[in-house]
Amino acid sequence: MKVFVAEKCGLCAGVKNAMRLAEEVLQKEGEVFSLGPIIHNNDVVNRLSAMGLHTVDGIEDIPRGTVLIRSHGAAPAQIEKLKGKGLKIIDATCVLVKRVQKIATELEAEGYTVVVMGNKEHPEVRAVVGCVNHATVVADESDLEKLPVDGSLGVICQTTQSPEYFARMLSAVCRRGFSRLKAINTLCKEAVKRQQSAVELCKKVDIMFVLGGLDSANTRKLAELCQQHNSQTYHLQNWNEFDKSKLAGKKTAGVTAGASTPEWIISEFVEKLGVSEPDVDLC
Amino acid sequence: MKVFVAEKCGLCAGVKNAMRLAEEVLQKEGEVFSLGPIIHNNDVVNRLSAMGLHTVDGIEDIPRGTVLIRSHGAAPAQIEKLKGKGLKIIDATCVLVKRVQKIATELEAEGYTVVVMGNKEHPEVRAVVGCVNHATVVADESDLEKLPVDGSLGVICQTTQSPEYFARMLSAVCRRGFSRLKAINTLCKEAVKRQQSAVELCKKVDIMFVLGGLDSANTRKLAELCQQHNSQTYHLQNWNEFDKSKLAGKKTAGVTAGASTPEWIISEFVEKLGVSEPDVDLC
């Protein structure tokens, strides 16, 4: 099987920073707490867990020591609670997510109704919403009815969405009507480059593999975009999920990976895929 | 012929104000100068001309006395020139146009590249452009290449365009991309109501007449919208342009009129149309 790897893929600076900070604390203190998975990648979380990382669901589950704010960020109220408990805080919020949080508070201060385009369950979006008194999350066109038709709307977007999604949602807002609209492009440029790179590659190959956590927003977006351009797209967490029968009749394969997928998962996958041949019995 | 008149049509407050101010000066001073037609309606201009209104193309053509700034407004540089010549100025700029001019200067001061959606030859747009150091006028999708894809865009719209046009153009801007986008809805709500009223009516009648000046942007927009919903739409200046043969086979007619079309033109048209019957020979 001839394998091509997307020019831009794998760990982004924000995730690398969070992993590095976690490892530093673990080396010094032997344990660290994370509110929710530090990144949306089970392999990485399992590796760090073995080193002493405790992933907890709520602040009440943190009894002592140091807590790491993951790259998706946390709401100011959560940070205040952590401080109130006397915990040491290591902030690994991605700088781009910090920027979105700052923009959201500025938009509200300027009198805009804050509108966040994205998935309201995603921790990044939840943290951004937590930075303002009120925000409306718009996931798709059906959510638009939550918005006033003559309002002052301050629109931002979850960093890992695609430019096409942001443009489509903004267009729908424009068609509904507004009095004032201020929209800031808060998309992560690195994520956008990875999307472009993945789309380019998936058009050229017989089968496309998108590697990364099933909860990872940016990986899912990569898979969604690739699926649009190549119906033979598979979102896998790692080589263990690989199904050889999918290679039947294929000669070329593409590989890309989300921003929370470490290098070792990509290399293992690419190496093993390179020496795989479709089982002729299955053809 | 059964005739229906659009619920909202005819002279708007801005045009009424300009006509009233012109008449006041004419009564007091016997003459007044207007830089370009005071409104885009030949019948009104001819009536005021007979009273002493002089329509001129340039400031150099005004020798003395009082100059009236029409409802479409004028650029600050023009007003300075008029003052420099020692002329008395009566400002009849529509308050909504003044608002657009103010918003344009504010957007530029806030660091945005001012983008005006509309017709660059229209006096309102020319005056708005003249209020800032630099503005890009976007008439349709083909003009979008003038805009940077990663810019800070401050978008406003010619007051007499339709919400559909503004939304369509903004959507196209969103698809191209931007860094920051601030858009203010500068459409005239009265013009929008007239558009809605005209569209509603034209769907119910066999033939639709849109009365108003051929250069009148808001009348042309009404005609364009009606044409989309009723192919039997005719844009006429007044009853003199009426062609009876168009009534062949029609039973109901609708009438609307632009914001610069005076009541007397509408009444005459509606009255004469009401007693018209299609020439049976032509059926």
Side-chain angles (χ1 to χ4, degrees), chain A residues 238-240 263-274:
Chain A
N238 51 41
W239 179 254
N240 298 334
E263 183 50 35
W264 84 75
I265 287 182
I266 308 173
S267 330
E268 183 193 18
F269 194 94
V270 171
E271 247 169 66
K272 292 185 173 169
L273 184 64

Side-chain angles (χ1 to χ4, degrees), chain B residues 212-233:
Chain B
L214 300 179
D215 288 337
S216 159
N218 78 84
T219 313
R220 285 167 70 166
K221 182 55 75 174
L222 282 177
E224 184 190 316
L225 287 169
C226 289
Q227 183 68 44
Q228 287 166 13
H229 297 277
N230 186 329
S231 64
Q232 294 298 302
T233 293

Side-chain angles (χ1 to χ4, degrees), chain B residues 69-87:
Chain B
I69 305 298
R70 55 186 172 171
S71 52
H72 309 110
Q78 283 182 303
I79 293 174
E80 283 313 304
K81 260 196 187 170
L82 293 168
K83 283 183 185 165
K85 276 190 84 166
L87 299 165

Side-chain angles (χ1 to χ4, degrees), chain A residues 106-127:
Chain A
E106 286 169 355
L107 287 171
E108 188 165 71
E110 288 171 30
Y112 292 96
T113 296
V114 176
V115 180
V116 187
M117 305 295 190
N119 173 5
K120 72 174 175 183
E121 302 301 336
H122 192 275
E124 176 193 319
V125 174
R126 286 214 311 268

Side-chain angles (χ1 to χ4, degrees), chain B residues 191-234:
Chain B
V192 173
K193 280 184 195 162
R194 280 144 205 263
Q195 290 164 8
Q196 290 164 341
S197 178
V199 167
E200 258 175 53
L201 178 56
C202 78
K203 288 179 190 169
K204 297 177 190 160
V205 294
D206 300 327
I207 188 166
M208 184 75 186
F209 296 99
V210 181
L211 306 177
L214 300 179
D215 288 337
S216 159
N218 78 84
T219 313
R220 285 167 70 166
K221 182 55 75 174
L222 282 177
E224 184 190 316
L225 287 169
C226 289
Q227 183 68 44
Q228 287 166 13
H229 297 277
N230 186 329
S231 64
Q232 294 298 302
T233 293
Y234 298 94

Side-chain angles (χ1 to χ4, degrees), chain A residues 99 110 112 163 166-167 170-172 174-175 178-185, chain B residues 99 110 112 163 166-167 170-172 174-175 178-185:
Chain A
R99 177 176 171 256
E110 288 171 30
Y112 292 96
F166 190 32
L170 268 180
S171 301
C174 293
R175 282 195 300 277
F178 60 85
S179 171
R180 284 194 305 164
L181 173 79
K182 186 167 173 180
I184 312 286
N185 184 345
Chain B
R99 177 176 170 258
E110 289 171 26
Y112 293 96
F166 190 32
L170 267 180
S171 300
C174 293
R175 281 195 301 277
F178 60 86
S179 171
R180 287 193 304 166
L181 173 80
K182 186 166 172 180
I184 312 287
N185 184 344

